[in-house]
Amino acid sequence: MKKNLTCVACPLGCSITVELDDQGQILSVTGNTCKRGDAYARTEMTNPTRSLTSTVKVEGGRHPVVPVKSAAPVPKSMLFDCMKEINKVVVKAPVHIGDTIIENILGTGVAIVATNDC
Amino acid sequence: MLKYDLAVVGGGPAGMAAALKAKECGVKKIIILERAETLGGILEQCIHTGFGLHYFGEELSGPEYAGRFIEQVRNTDIDVKTDTMVLDISDKNLITAVNKQDGLLHIDATAVVLAMGCRERPRGALSIAGTRASGIMTAGTAQKYVNIDGYMPGKKIVILGSGDIGLIMARRMTLEGAEVKMVCELMPYSGGLTRNIVQCLNDFNIPLKLSTTVIETHGKERLEGVTIAKVDEHGQVIDGTQEYVACDTLMLSVGLIPENELTKGIGVSLDPVTKGAVVTEMRETDHPGVFACGNVLQVHDLVDYVTMEAQMAGQGAASYIQDREVFENAEYISTSHGNGVRYIVPQKMNIRSKEDIKLYFRVGAVYKNAKVVLEADGTIISSKKKVKLAPGEMENVTVPADVIAKLTKDSTICVRVEESQ
Ligand SMILES: Cc1cc2nc3c(=O)[nH]c(=O)nc-3n(C[C@H](O)[C@H](O)[C@H](O)COP(=O)(O)OP(=O)(O)OC[C@H]3O[C@@H](n4cnc5c(N)ncnc54)[C@H](O)[C@@H]3O)c2cc1C
Ligand code: SF4
């Protein structure tokens, strides 16, 4: 069986074909331009993950919110739960780019970090 | 009157990269003029990741990508004036700008780099009937509300136009708990990157309705709903396909227009397709010493390409300032676009160039398994197979230096798409 995917690992968006055997084991990954595409296709078939970006409330900053991102992709099925956690947080200014906002979100081992100064 | 070797108008990724490159090339006095309160341009509100994979080999968010350049600019002696709006540039490269501190500023610059970016097409550019209820805004405005000002502009949302900003906002609003009912696209294909369709719409089961548009808005004070309808291949509404969709917010993501009022004021020629200046491979406009790069020149989808283009403009401006010989000896021919290609940047290329020249272009429709063919004087120079070509993704092809060496002033350079049989 063949499955077609669009790699979302970078804006090139390569069309990737994954060939599976009857047990759903991956036989081949083709169409990717780089190694990240191969890795993307393999996780997408087993445990799809996505990067998450959002904002967190700031007290006393130059704007009311500061942008944040997950330092690594989190399971796709947990995106909305992660959002709930992120929306509970209020931080105090000053916040710097790269500051950790949540150390380990919902036990995923992934940190939520600030992506701008505020 | 202030005197500078180089004045850069706009402090987004394009303006910063152009200024930094010119500095690296040895230009002494450089100033960046930016009307917003910080450098960074539109990237400040683009908090999603996807920036910098080509340039830094890392996936960064907009502010992080911009932050790296802001840091570099800080570490040089490039002068920066923020909160400063450029009002006019004369045909003698005299810049008039205004800010609270200095009042009216006059700057005499040997070379100018235009890097003003682009703005979104507003509602007025569309023919939607209905009231002027609140709740109708461009997707970029909504993006600023949510990502910078920290408030949600609506709960039930319809997005018109499948450009990248609309797609990104569909996901952003969904994650924040809003219900994005659908994205309507007038064309039979999306104008956004495929990856954004996948990760912003498909991931959240948001329907993308192609060949569909919004024909009417409803509601007095606040938007209550819109009427959508299918369109035929000529963009005409197909009667009987009208459908009412309840929503409190309509976001428009119907295209970007380069911000070229200043450019027109100088008297620079514009390309009717890109709506940006006509430029050479150095990104010089037809007004000597005036260069353009980034979204003001052509609407880009990848900031990495903006940076690379801006570096060409910065380098071009540096050679204009330091050694005008290249410009005096230049001989230009126009690049021409054949079947399937909508435009090429640069529109003109110097046949005395000793280096390869990259031609950037967009196609006018979606092609599968087609070839990108480069021809010089009717002879095929290269023919590259492409699994997919789409209007939403900028392509490029290189004219090698040895081919350029053989060109004369009567030569033709053409890029076209060859469809598979
Ligand atoms: C919503 C959105 C999503 C995007 N997503 C991605 C993505 O995922 N990945 C990616 O790689 N790229 C993405 N891009 C593209 C990328 O961000 C842009 O191509 C890039 O920011 C353009 O840079 P620029 O410097 O040309 O323009 P801008 O960033 O717009 O900067 C222009 C600057 O000029 C200033 N200016 C204008 N007129 C004047 C004046 N008269 N006087 C003084 N200053 C002036 C403006 O204030 C602004 O700061 C996205 C763009 C948008 C809008
Ligand atoms: S395969 Fe590599 S180049 Fe292609 S989209 Fe994925 S990450 Fe980008």
Side-chain angles (χ1 to χ4, degrees), chain B residues 384-407:
Chain B
K384 223 169 109 211
K385 250 211 187 126
K386 288 277 177 181
V387 181
K388 193 179 149 212
L389 289 165
E393 317 205 1
M394 192 186 286
E395 299 286 339
N396 67 68
V397 51
T398 302
V399 190
D402 61 321
V403 171
I404 300 170
K406 294 194 197 100
L407 299 175

Side-chain angles (χ1 to χ4, degrees), chain A residues 34 39 43 46 49 52 60 65 95-96 101 110:
Chain A
C34 73
T43 35
T46 49
T49 60
L52 178 62
V65 291
V95 181
H96 296 289
I101 305 292
V110 175

Side-chain angles (χ1 to χ4, degrees), chain B residues 78-144:
Chain B
I78 296 172
D79 287 336
V80 176
K81 277 195 189 290
T82 50
D83 279 316
T84 304
M85 168 97 174
V86 174
L87 302 173
D88 182 64
I89 307 170
S90 81
D91 58 358
K92 305 241 163 21
N93 296 354
L94 285 178
I95 297 175
T96 311
V98 63
N99 69 24
K100 277 203 193 115
Q101 264 178 354
D102 312 280
L104 219 49
L105 273 167
H106 298 282
I107 297 164
D108 176 3
T110 309
V112 177
V113 171
L114 303 172
M116 291 90 75
C118 59
R119 61 163 184 270
E120 292 177 283
R121 207 162 274 170
R123 176 183 177 172
L126 305 169
S127 53
I128 305 174
T131 47
R132 296 264 143 179
S134 69
I136 305 171
M137 65 197 78
T138 65
T141 302
Q143 187 177 46
K144 181 173 175 293

Side-chain angles (χ1 to χ4, degrees), chain B residues 116-246:
Chain B
M116 291 90 75
C118 59
R119 61 163 184 270
E120 292 177 283
R121 207 162 274 170
R123 176 183 177 172
L126 305 169
S127 53
I128 305 174
T131 47
R132 296 264 143 179
S134 69
I136 305 171
M137 65 197 78
T138 65
T141 302
Q143 187 177 46
K144 181 173 175 293
Y145 287 156
V146 186
N147 293 347
I148 293 187
D149 304 330
Y151 76 88
M152 286 284 284
K155 289 205 185 76
K156 272 187 276 171
I157 294 145
V158 169
I159 298 175
L160 175 59
S162 61
D164 287 312
I165 317 177
L167 301 177
I168 297 281
M169 282 311 289
R171 172 178 63 185
R172 183 78 182 107
M173 297 301 287
T174 307
L175 283 171
E176 288 290 358
E179 182 194 355
V180 178
K181 297 220 158 166
M182 60 182 68
V183 175
C184 300
E185 169 58 59
L186 183 72
M187 304 302 284
Y189 53 82
S190 163
L193 296 171
T194 314
R195 82 184 299 236
N196 285 339
I197 310 250
V198 174
Q199 60 181 357
C200 299
L201 300 187
N202 300 358
D203 270 6
F204 301 99
N205 302 315
I206 300 169
L208 171 61
K209 295 190 181 272
L210 297 173
S211 302
T212 303
T213 191
V214 170
I215 54 169
E216 196 175 351
T217 59
H218 308 275
K220 275 207 190 80
E221 305 271 300
R222 177 78 197 193
L223 187 69
E224 284 164 14
V226 296
T227 304
I228 62 165
K230 286 254 163 220
V231 295
D232 62 20
E233 61 269 35
H234 309 293
Q236 296 296 316
V237 171
I238 303 170
D239 215 25
T241 62
Q242 288 88 342
E243 191 186 323
Y244 180 83
V245 184

Side-chain angles (χ1 to χ4, degrees), chain B residues 10 13-14 34-35 41-43 48 50-51 86 116 165 295 301 303:
Chain B
E34 167 57 54
R35 83 179 154 201
I42 194 79
L43 292 181
H48 57 283
F51 301 84
V86 174
M116 291 90 75
I165 317 177
N295 277 352
D301 10 70
V303 71

Side-chain angles (χ1 to χ4, degrees), chain A residues 11, chain B residues 8-16 33-54 59-60 62 65 81 83-88 97 114-120 139-140 143 164-166 168-169 171 193 195-196 199 256 259 262 293-307 309-310:
Chain B
V8 177
V9 186
M16 290 193 285
L33 303 163
E34 167 57 54
R35 83 179 154 201
E37 61 186 286
T38 51
L39 294 175
I42 194 79
L43 292 181
E44 286 291 300
Q45 69 182 60
C46 300
I47 65 160
H48 57 283
T49 52
F51 301 84
L53 260 163
H54 292 280
E59 184 160 68
L60 303 171
Y65 187 91
K81 277 195 189 290
D83 279 316
T84 304
M85 168 97 174
V86 174
L87 302 173
D88 182 64
L114 303 172
M116 291 90 75
C118 59
R119 61 163 184 270
E120 292 177 283
Q143 187 177 46
D164 287 312
I165 317 177
I168 297 281
M169 282 311 289
R171 172 178 63 185
L193 296 171
R195 82 184 299 236
N196 285 339
Q199 60 181 357
L256 300 163
E259 191 136 24
L262 290 172
C293 56
N295 277 352
V296 78
L297 179 61
Q298 58 173 331
V299 174
H300 288 261
D301 10 70
L302 293 185
V303 71
D304 306 65
Y305 288 155
V306 169
T307 301
E309 182 171 86

Side-chain angles (χ1 to χ4, degrees), chain A residues 7 9-10 12-14 32-34 36-37:
Chain A
C7 178
C10 94
L12 271 188
C14 298
N32 51 308
T33 306
C34 73
R36 291 165 54 101

Side-chain angles (χ1 to χ4, degrees), chain B residues 315-352:
Chain B
Q315 189 168 4
S319 28
Y320 182 86
I321 293 161
Q322 295 162 337
D323 165 24
R324 229 160 273 181
E325 208 181 331
V326 198
F327 294 84
E328 278 151 13
N329 294 335
E331 193 157 0
Y332 296 105
I333 61 166
S334 297
T335 53
S336 54
H337 40 104
N339 179 52
V341 177
R342 280 187 59 228
Y343 73 79
I344 298 175
V345 170
Q347 291 84 350
K348 290 191 289 184
M349 55 180 268
N350 180 7
I351 56 171
R352 302 272 174 84

